[in-house]
């Protein structure tokens, strides 16, 4: 199947050529505090090709490997892309947001497969199952994404891909691989990764493995230690591929284990997360078109409790999730300039969430608290898409899709029936007496036109109508007690959340434009304004102030998920200039800026977790084996906050990062100083430091990481 491999590589190259954003930037707000991020190196071109968008950006394997000492958090690395931010999570579990729309509203694919929610706090977010050092590329498509890239989303697509299988081209045994290791001074983080491939002409086997571990990190300046930020995890996968005259056949299995991960902005920590998966795929190229068939199964056992930073205590919370996904995709060339795409998708999620009783506790016993009882969420999707090359300068992508989402769950129960548990008793009775079956019929569509009248100019206009159904926790969590509701929510604000059986699917209409300019050799920039209106946006409404055991009011409130109307608008800007030599061997200056405004139209309030205006300016120089770089990152004051959630304001800040690397005899050595001047700052999307609040009684935002000296070593063989 060498012709198939060449075809896939050609298409990947075309997609890369279409992205016109090249900048050297790093993360000013990654939730694990890893500030300096690798260069996002994407070729610039005004070439028009159907099937990709000017607004999308791909981060290459070379870029990810170059930053092996920087971050273990894939989501954090993506903040180098204008318009991408991360909401607070654990050290490798930040939750990405695109143009103000959070992870729950984004299709996140890992090797083409979605990974469903498996935690009431979203501690094991989809990208937490990846390591930057072992993936081939990450593609981010904001806003108006083609319907063939996935449904059940309103915010865009993040697609993580593993390396394509490699085969021997001369009949001998191919043995190849790469390895890396790193150390980060702030938090004593360390780890490494390895990829090994053994292949013949028709059969290929690739193993990938990684490990990472870190202690609590220290905030910048006088911020001190940031409690509940320690973590450890390991990932392993084995991929087998066989190519013959009929096509390319692949099977892959893997195992993920995290024995612990602290969450600075949650009441709980992750005390175990075990997940294994198996997936198969077939790709064939025929005279009449291409076929892509896939299926996968994932089993996850997730446990939460308190780590040492959150004081002595015990409150086990367990979640079990099984997911099965399958897809059949067809691409048929109708003519030399027109291609039709068709696809069928099926996704089944089964989730059980229960909290065992705590011995000797009057509140958390004597029974098991059944939070979600064997719920399921089944989605059947179908799409049709037309890719057209109208002329040498004009192309378009037009598509429509339908997704049917079916959900249901069983009866629930509180810990007990005492007076202190009465709020949960009454809520459970009402929930069990209700009809919990829900069926949503969701229609989505997108239309994208791209015009490139010259090599120096490309313009794109896109419109999308996208629909997303509520997830299991948004619809089916029911606890009304203070403690029960505070266990629900991925917002990092310490507040309590209650589900809502009456939630409607979110419906979003997005208009976006992209203009790419290259007025002179070595100079280019891109501007992308956008507007999104969301009807039935799943937000939350105020219920009551939460009280402590003595009946006294706390700084936290209880809210219930509810449908509101919302809008998002803003602009992403990026550019580059080669000031000497070439991009590969010379000096490159890059800059980017992102601004988003999110508004709760129903209540005329700012939406929660909206990233303030931020900008980055960087310079990179390479001469032979020597690489030098640095950047300044600036984030504006966050003063548009959601008062219902008691969202804190944060001050503006600027960070300086420096790095250097040298390759000697095939071994790349790197050193970097992240947050060089040890600037103290608070993370604008980091939430509240609940770990510190439980230990000291002081409530403040989560602080960003202080200065860290990061060392890395990597090689290919």
């Amino acid at each position: 199947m060498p012709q198939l491999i060449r075809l896939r590589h050609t298409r990947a190259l075309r997609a890369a050529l279409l992205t016109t954003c090249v900048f050297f930037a790093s993360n000013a707000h990654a939730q694990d505090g890893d500030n300096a991020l690798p260069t996002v190196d994407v070729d610039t071109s005004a070439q028009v090709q159907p099937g990709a968008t000017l607004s999308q950006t791909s981060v290459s394997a070379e870029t990810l490997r170059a930053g092996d000492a920087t971050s273990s958090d894939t989501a954090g690395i993506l903040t180098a892309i204008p318009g991408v931010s991360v909401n607070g999570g654990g050290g490798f579990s930040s939750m990405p947001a695109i143009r103000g729309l959070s992870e729950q509203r984004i299709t996140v694919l890992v090797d083409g497969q979605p990974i469903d929610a498996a935690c009431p706090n979203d501690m094991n977010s989809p990208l937490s199952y990846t390591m930057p050092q072992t993936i081939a590329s990450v593609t981010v498509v904001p806003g108006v994404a083609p319907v063939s890239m996935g449904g059940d989303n309103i915010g865009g697509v993040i697609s993580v891909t593993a390396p394509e299988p490699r085969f021997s081209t001369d009949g001998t045994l191919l043995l190849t691989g790469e390895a890396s290791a790193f150390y980060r001074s702030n938090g004593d983080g360390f780890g490494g990764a390895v990829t090994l491939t053994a292949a013949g002409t028709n059969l290929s086997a690739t193993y990938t493995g990684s490990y990472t571990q870190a202690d609590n990190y220290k905030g910048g300046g006088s911020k001190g230690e940031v409690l509940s930020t320690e973590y450890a995890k390991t990932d392993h996968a084995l991929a087998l591929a066989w190519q013959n005259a009929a096509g390319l056949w692949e099977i892959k299995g893997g195992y993920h284990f995290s024995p612990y991960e602290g969450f600075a902005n949650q009441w709980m920590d992750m005390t175990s997360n075990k997940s294994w998966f198996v997936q198969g795929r077939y790709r064939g190229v025929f005279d009449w078109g291409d076929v892509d068939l896939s299926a996968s199964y994932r089993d996850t056992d997730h446990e939460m409790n308190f780590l040492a930073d959150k004081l002595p205590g015990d409150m086990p919370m367990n979640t079990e999730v099984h997911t099965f996904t399958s897809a059949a995709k067809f691409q048929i060339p109708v003519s030399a300039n027109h291609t039709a795409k068709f696809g069928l998708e099926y996704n089944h999620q089964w989730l059980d969430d229960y909290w065992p009783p705590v011995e000797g506790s009057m509140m958390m016993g004597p029974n098991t608290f059944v939070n979600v009882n064997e719920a399921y969420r089944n989605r059947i999707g179908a799409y049709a898409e037309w890719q057209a090359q109208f002329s040498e300068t004009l192309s378009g992508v037009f598509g429509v899709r339908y997704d049917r989402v079916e959900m249901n769950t069983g009866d629930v129960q509180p810990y007990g029936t005492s007076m202190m548990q009465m709020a949960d008793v009454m809520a459970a009775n009402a929930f069990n007496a209700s009809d919990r079956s829900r069926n949503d019929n969701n229609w989505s569509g997108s239309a994208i036109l791209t015009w490139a009248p010259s090599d120096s100019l490309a313009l794109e206009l896109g419109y999308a109508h996208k629909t997303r159904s509520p997830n299991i926790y948004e619809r089916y969590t029911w606890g009304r007690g203070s403690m029960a509701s505070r266990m629900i929510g991925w917002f990092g604000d310490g507040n309590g959340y209650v589900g809502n059986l009456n939630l409607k699917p979110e419906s979003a209409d997005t208009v976006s434009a992209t203009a790419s300019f290259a007025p002179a050799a070595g100079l280019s920039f891109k501007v992308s304004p956008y507007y999104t209106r969301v009807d039935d946006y799943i937000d939350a409404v105020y219920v009551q102030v939460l009280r402590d055991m003595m009946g006294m009011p706390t700084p936290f409130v209880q809210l219930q998920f509810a449908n509101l109307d919302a809008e998002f608008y803003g602009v992403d800007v990026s550019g580059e200039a080669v000031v000497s030599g070439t991009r590969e061997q010379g000096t490159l200056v890059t800059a980017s800026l992102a601004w988003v405004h999110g508004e709760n139209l129903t209540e005329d309030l700012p939406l929660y977790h909206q990233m303030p205006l931020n900008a980055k300016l960087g310079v990179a120089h390479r001469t032979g084996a020597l690489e030098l770089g640095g950047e300044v990152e600036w984030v504006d004051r966050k003063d548009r906050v959601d008062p219902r959630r008691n969202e804190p304001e944060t001050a503006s800040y600027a960070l300086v990062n420096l790095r250097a690397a040298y390759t000697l005899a095939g071994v790349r050595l790197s050193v970097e100083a992240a947050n060089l001047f040890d600037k103290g700052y608070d993370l604008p999307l980091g939430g509240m430091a609940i770990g510190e609040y439980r230990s000291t009684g002081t409530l403040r935002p989560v602080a960003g990481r202080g200065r860290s000296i990061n060392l890395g070593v990597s090689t290919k063989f």
Side-chain angles (χ1 to χ4, degrees):
M1 279 298 291
Q3 71 273 21
L4 174 60
I5 304 304
R6 288 196 299 270
L7 178 60
R8 299 303 179 193
H9 287 173
T10 300
R11 289 176 179 168
L13 177 60
R14 288 176 177 175
L17 288 172
L18 277 170
T19 54
T20 59
C21 166
V22 185
F23 49 91
F24 185 76
S26 62
N27 176 20
H29 41 274
Q31 299 309 311
D32 67 355
D34 294 328
N35 304 114
L37 291 175
T39 306
V40 176
D41 188 9
V42 184
D43 288 339
T44 299
S45 172
Q47 179 184 0
V48 178
Q49 295 286 347
T53 67
L54 284 176
S55 60
Q56 78 181 48
T57 302
S58 294
V59 184
S60 67
E62 290 73 19
T63 295
L64 296 165
R65 304 301 186 270
D68 58 2
T70 303
S71 179
S72 299
D73 183 15
T74 302
I77 286 180
L78 298 183
T79 61
I81 299 172
V84 179
S85 57
V86 290
N87 298 336
F92 56 86
S93 300
S94 296
M95 293 168 283
I98 300 177
R99 295 177 173 176
L101 291 163
S102 61
E103 175 190 83
Q104 291 72 30
R105 299 175 171 92
I106 300 169
T107 291
V108 181
L109 302 173
V110 178
D111 284 349
Q113 308 298 322
I115 300 178
D116 291 321
C119 169
N121 299 157
D122 202 8
M123 290 185 174
N124 44 14
S125 54
L127 292 180
S128 69
Y129 293 100
T130 67
M131 272 289 284
Q133 293 79 13
T134 59
I135 58 183
S137 67
V138 185
T139 299
V140 177
V141 185
V144 182
V147 297
S148 59
M149 299 194 72
D152 204 29
N153 77 82
I154 64 172
V157 176
I158 296 175
S159 179
V160 178
T161 59
E164 288 281 3
R166 299 184 61 182
F167 297 93
S168 173
T169 58
D170 58 8
T172 62
L173 179 64
L174 172 67
L175 293 175
T176 185
E178 53 188 282
S180 62
F182 61 84
Y183 173 77
R184 304 167 190 145
S185 66
N186 193 338
D188 285 329
F190 65 91
V194 63
T195 299
L196 301 172
T197 294
T201 304
N202 300 103
L203 185 64
S204 175
T206 298
Y207 163 79
T208 56
S210 62
Y211 179 81
T212 181
Q213 175 182 325
D215 297 330
N216 291 339
Y217 70 78
K218 294 180 176 61
S222 60
K223 294 290 185 177
E225 181 180 3
V226 181
L227 301 179
S228 299
T229 54
E230 67 270 51
Y231 63 85
K233 77 157 182 168
T234 184
D235 293 274
H236 303 272
L238 178 63
L240 303 176
W242 178 43
Q243 65 174 359
N244 61 10
L248 179 64
W249 311 76
E250 300 171 84
I251 186 169
K252 183 177 182 178
Y255 177 72
H256 163 99
F257 174 54
S258 172
Y260 61 88
E261 185 180 15
F263 282 75
N265 60 7
Q266 293 286 359
W267 296 100
M268 307 299 293
D269 298 305
M270 190 168 76
T271 53
S272 177
N273 193 74
K274 300 176 181 178
S275 184
W276 63 269
F277 74 91
V278 61
Q279 61 190 53
R281 187 180 186 186
Y282 165 75
R283 287 178 283 175
V285 176
F286 303 95
D287 293 339
W288 54 267
D290 300 354
V291 178
D292 190 336
L293 307 176
S294 63
S296 68
Y297 175 83
R298 179 177 288 270
D299 183 280
T300 301
D301 291 321
H302 176 73
E303 298 178 6
M304 293 194 299
N305 212 319
F306 304 120
L307 294 178
D309 288 344
K310 290 191 170 77
L311 298 179
D314 186 36
M315 185 182 172
M317 299 173 62
N318 301 333
T319 307
E320 299 176 8
V321 177
H322 313 306
T323 300
F324 173 77
T325 298
S326 61
K329 302 178 181 180
F330 306 91
Q331 181 169 302
I332 302 172
V334 179
S335 68
N337 296 320
H338 300 273
T339 301
K341 283 187 173 184
F342 304 95
L344 296 172
E345 301 171 357
Y346 174 71
N347 179 259
H348 166 74
Q349 178 189 13
W350 179 95
L351 187 148
D352 202 21
D353 193 311
Y354 58 96
W355 311 344
V358 177
E359 186 177 355
S361 172
M362 296 181 62
M363 177 175 288
M364 295 178 286
N367 303 317
T368 295
F369 188 102
V370 180
N371 186 42
V372 178
N373 183 12
E374 298 185 352
Y376 68 80
R377 188 181 192 271
N378 297 333
R379 179 173 60 86
I380 301 174
Y383 67 85
E385 190 170 271
W386 172 41
Q387 298 179 358
Q389 188 78 45
F390 298 111
S391 68
E392 291 184 358
T393 61
L394 183 65
S395 70
V397 180
F398 312 91
V400 62
R401 71 175 293 139
Y402 167 76
D403 291 279
R404 179 173 173 85
V405 179
E406 301 176 348
M407 300 174 63
N408 206 344
T409 189
D411 289 350
V412 298
Q413 71 174 26
Y415 278 116
T417 58
S418 69
M419 287 302 298
M420 69 174 59
Q421 300 161 333
M422 195 51 58
D424 288 333
V425 171
M426 296 175 64
N429 290 338
F431 186 87
N432 292 337
S434 64
D435 177 13
R436 300 179 294 276
S437 176
R438 295 292 183 272
N439 299 319
D440 301 326
N441 296 295
N442 301 333
W443 288 92
S444 301
S446 63
I448 305 167
L449 276 175
T450 307
W451 179 55
S454 68
D455 291 338
S456 61
L457 174 65
L459 303 174
E460 183 173 271
L461 180 65
Y463 166 76
H465 174 82
K466 297 293 184 73
T467 309
R468 178 191 80 99
S469 287
N471 63 37
I472 287 176
Y473 288 108
E474 288 169 333
R475 262 189 173 149
Y476 290 141
T477 49
W478 53 273
R480 290 276 182 166
S482 173
M483 182 275 295
S485 66
R486 281 185 287 120
M487 299 301 103
I488 308 301
W490 40 90
F491 308 102
D493 54 9
N495 299 314
Y497 289 83
V498 181
N500 187 343
L501 287 170
N502 298 318
L503 286 178
K504 301 175 184 178
E506 296 176 323
S507 177
D509 292 278
T510 298
V511 178
S512 65
T514 300
S516 174
F517 305 93
L523 177 64
S524 64
F525 58 95
K526 183 173 69 172
V527 180
S528 298
Y530 56 87
Y531 175 84
T532 297
R533 163 68 187 244
V534 187
D535 294 326
D536 296 317
Y537 180 80
I538 298 175
D539 201 284
V541 294
Y542 174 84
V543 176
Q544 62 179 336
V545 172
L546 293 176
R547 298 181 178 273
D548 61 20
M549 294 289 292
M550 304 300 295
M552 300 298 294
T554 71
F556 308 103
V557 297
Q558 187 179 82
L559 304 109
Q560 184 175 26
F561 293 115
N563 291 118
L564 306 172
D565 292 334
E567 68 176 5
F568 302 81
Y569 54 86
V571 63
D572 300 327
V573 182
S574 59
E576 68 155 20
V578 178
V579 297
S580 68
T582 65
R583 293 177 66 253
E584 293 75 20
Q585 290 287 322
T587 302
L588 179 71
V589 175
T590 57
S592 65
L593 177 146
W595 173 72
V596 62
H597 180 99
E599 188 77 14
N600 176 345
L601 296 176
T602 301
E603 299 179 329
D604 193 24
L605 293 171
L607 286 171
Y608 184 65
H609 262 175
Q610 299 298 295
M611 186 67 189
L613 176 69
N614 59 95
K616 308 176 180 94
L617 177 65
V619 60
H621 176 79
R622 182 166 185 170
T623 301
L626 177 65
E627 305 167 51
L628 300 173
E631 61 272 342
V632 177
E633 313 167 24
W634 173 80
V635 177
D636 197 6
R637 174 180 176 84
K638 182 175 175 60
D639 52 13
R640 294 192 73 254
V641 295
D642 185 348
R644 302 165 308 156
R645 288 177 162 94
N646 299 322
E647 184 179 13
E649 295 187 0
T650 56
S652 63
Y653 59 90
L655 307 177
V656 176
N657 310 303
L658 296 178
R659 64 173 61 84
Y662 192 83
T663 302
L664 180 65
V667 178
R668 184 178 186 272
L669 305 172
S670 65
V671 59
E672 61 184 347
N675 192 358
L676 177 65
F677 299 111
D678 199 33
K679 172 68 176 179
Y681 65 102
D682 295 322
L683 296 165
L685 305 184
M688 304 302 294
I690 303 300
E692 181 175 343
Y693 176 74
R694 285 206 58 182
S695 297
T696 67
T698 299
L699 186 62
R700 69 176 188 180
V702 176
R705 187 185 294 263
R707 180 171 48 244
S708 183
I709 306 301
N710 305 327
L711 307 175
V713 57
S714 62
T715 186
K716 295 182 179 180
F717 51 88

